[in-house]
Amino acid sequence: MERINQLAQSSIAERLGRLARLWRMVADVELAPLGLTYSRWSALWKLYRMGQDISQKELADALEIELASLMRTLGHLEQQGLIDRHCCPVDKRARRISLTQTGFEVIEFMEARIMGIRAQLYAGISEEALSMFESTLNQISDNAIKKLNPTMLKGEE
């Protein structure tokens, strides 16, 4: 019986992975009119959420990807006129990123679409259930972070 419980619990991770992929696919379809790939719209959205004038390294860290992987994406976003990259006044080796006016306009479109997606995907789920689900996800994430680096969360408390 315990083995069956272990298998059932392990499938939660698989289902969460599948949910993330499905959610991304839905978002890709909704955001297709912008001509942005997942890597581009996710970088743009994260930049918007983090604020203006952040370093490329900060954005890469927030996206949990290598800086080298982000560079091509930023180049495309810059070519599309959605971001501006400039040298850091303090450290000339570092580059800072900001959204352009066109970038903000695209974000407005994205935000409306993303909020619509959320409403559709949350259909039939109570606020209480969503809140409990979010708390559960946060606890699992915290547990994973503690497992990977026991000192990581201590600085955040």
Side-chain angles (χ1 to χ4, degrees), residues 16-30 38 41 113-115 117-122 125 130 133 137:
L16 283 173
R18 178 158 170 69
L19 173 59
R21 286 187 301 278
L22 286 169
W23 198 308
R24 187 173 98 183
M25 288 167 51
V26 169
D28 282 344
V29 168
E30 287 292 315
Y38 169 75
W41 68 255
R113 294 288 177 117
I114 288 169
M115 292 304 139
I117 291 166
R118 283 185 187 161
Q120 291 172 348
L121 297 181
Y122 292 170
I125 304 170
L130 280 173
F133 181 61
L137 288 176

Side-chain angles (χ1 to χ4, degrees), residues 31-147:
L31 298 174
L34 298 174
L36 296 175
T37 62
Y38 169 75
S39 62
R40 291 181 201 175
W41 68 255
S42 62
L44 202 61
W45 185 253
K46 184 64 81 171
L47 174 60
Y48 168 70
R49 302 274 305 212
M50 293 177 72
Q52 289 288 80
D53 199 40
I54 65 164
S55 75
Q56 294 177 146
K57 175 78 171 110
E58 289 170 318
L59 183 57
D61 289 347
L63 290 166
E64 299 177 347
I65 61 174
E66 294 295 322
L67 181 58
S69 299
L70 180 61
M71 297 306 289
R72 182 175 177 168
T73 298
L74 293 177
H76 289 292
L77 291 172
E78 192 171 35
Q79 285 176 345
Q80 289 178 281
L82 303 177
I83 65 165
D84 178 51
R85 292 191 285 181
H86 51 277
C87 289
C88 176
V90 178
D91 181 358
K92 298 293 182 196
R93 296 169 297 167
R95 307 252 344 231
R96 311 288 293 176
I97 315 163
S98 298
L99 288 171
T100 63
Q101 183 58 41
T102 303
F104 278 110
E105 291 167 7
V106 167
I107 287 291
E108 285 181 25
F109 179 85
M110 286 174 58
E111 191 167 26
R113 294 288 177 117
I114 288 169
M115 292 304 139
I117 291 166
R118 283 185 187 161
Q120 291 172 348
L121 297 181
Y122 292 170
I125 304 170
S126 70
E127 289 292 325
E128 181 182 353
L130 280 173
S131 179
M132 183 175 278
F133 181 61
E134 184 175 13
S135 293
T136 302
L137 288 176
N138 289 338
Q139 185 62 56
I140 293 169
S141 293
D142 288 350
N143 292 344
I145 290 169
K146 285 177 188 174
K147 178 72 175 160

